Amino acid sequence: MFTVWLRKTFKGVIDPTAAFLARLGISANVLTIGGCVIAVSVGLLLAQGYLRLGGIILLLTMGTDALDGAVARQADQATRFGAFLDSSLDRIADASLLLGLGWWYRGQGGPHDMLASVAAIGSLLVSYARARAEAIGIECKVGLFTRVERSLVLVGALILGLTAPALWLLALGTVATALHRILHVFLQTRGKASF
């Protein structure tokens, strides 16, 4: 999976940075909340049409999403609430970006505002399918459009001015990934007694 490759590739940067932040006393939850505030702010920028600027800010702050968990591990402060908070605020961040983009396209004509909504719903379904599968004891990380891939597509599209085709890709990709996860869980549970 691409996410695992990225973590291994940037481990040499993330771990020392996380150790430095932990020594400064910056908690993982503060980084989680800060990352969400940045994403919501970028969503507001996108809603006003500052697409390239939004993409640049997201590119410069993408590492914060990887740092919160690393800081929690470095400071030996990983908690169940921290993991819950991170997942919840990630959903808010994702939705804010796509809804902001949809709001911008609402005034431009064409189907792109609806595509942004479908992509937002699809991204929530991708995450929900994994969370619900894990709640019943099934690992569910399958699918092409995980959060990392969605983020890279969105950031690249915003910076390069390719948001219209990217919204098609995000809408179709998130729905396909959600369906893939549903099928995966069905195959894993087929023939097993329900509870």
Side-chain angles (χ1 to χ4, degrees), residues 65-77:
D65 193 46
L67 280 174
D68 52 6
V71 166
R73 287 186 294 278
Q74 291 278 349
D76 199 25
Q77 295 176 342

Side-chain angles (χ1 to χ4, degrees), residues 42-164:
V42 170
L44 293 171
L45 282 175
L46 298 180
Q48 297 172 33
Y50 296 105
L51 307 187
R52 186 162 281 129
L53 175 61
I56 291 168
I57 293 170
L58 287 176
L59 179 65
L60 295 175
T61 59
M62 279 179 90
T64 59
D65 193 46
L67 280 174
D68 52 6
V71 166
R73 287 186 294 278
Q74 291 278 349
D76 199 25
Q77 295 176 342
T79 64
R80 289 190 298 173
F81 175 74
F84 169 80
L85 181 68
D86 183 45
S87 293
S88 299
L89 294 188
D90 281 351
R91 305 298 74 80
I92 292 171
D94 291 348
S96 298
L97 296 171
L98 289 165
L99 292 175
L101 199 51
W103 184 268
W104 166 250
Y105 273 110
R106 192 174 137 231
Q108 309 304 309
H112 298 99
D113 59 336
M114 186 58 68
L115 290 171
S117 297
V118 170
I121 293 166
S123 72
L124 293 173
L125 283 172
V126 168
S127 300
Y128 178 78
R130 176 181 171 183
R132 190 64 185 103
E134 290 176 354
I136 60 172
I138 298 170
E139 186 174 285
C140 189
K141 296 179 180 178
V142 300
L144 182 60
F145 271 71
T146 67
R147 186 161 195 257
V148 170
E149 288 83 6
R150 293 191 311 264
S151 297
L152 290 173
V153 167
L154 184 60
V155 168
L158 289 168
I159 292 172
L160 298 173
L162 299 171
T163 51

Side-chain angles (χ1 to χ4, degrees), residues 13-24:
V13 174
I14 290 171
D15 285 351
T17 305
F20 174 72
L21 293 172
R23 280 194 303 275
L24 290 178

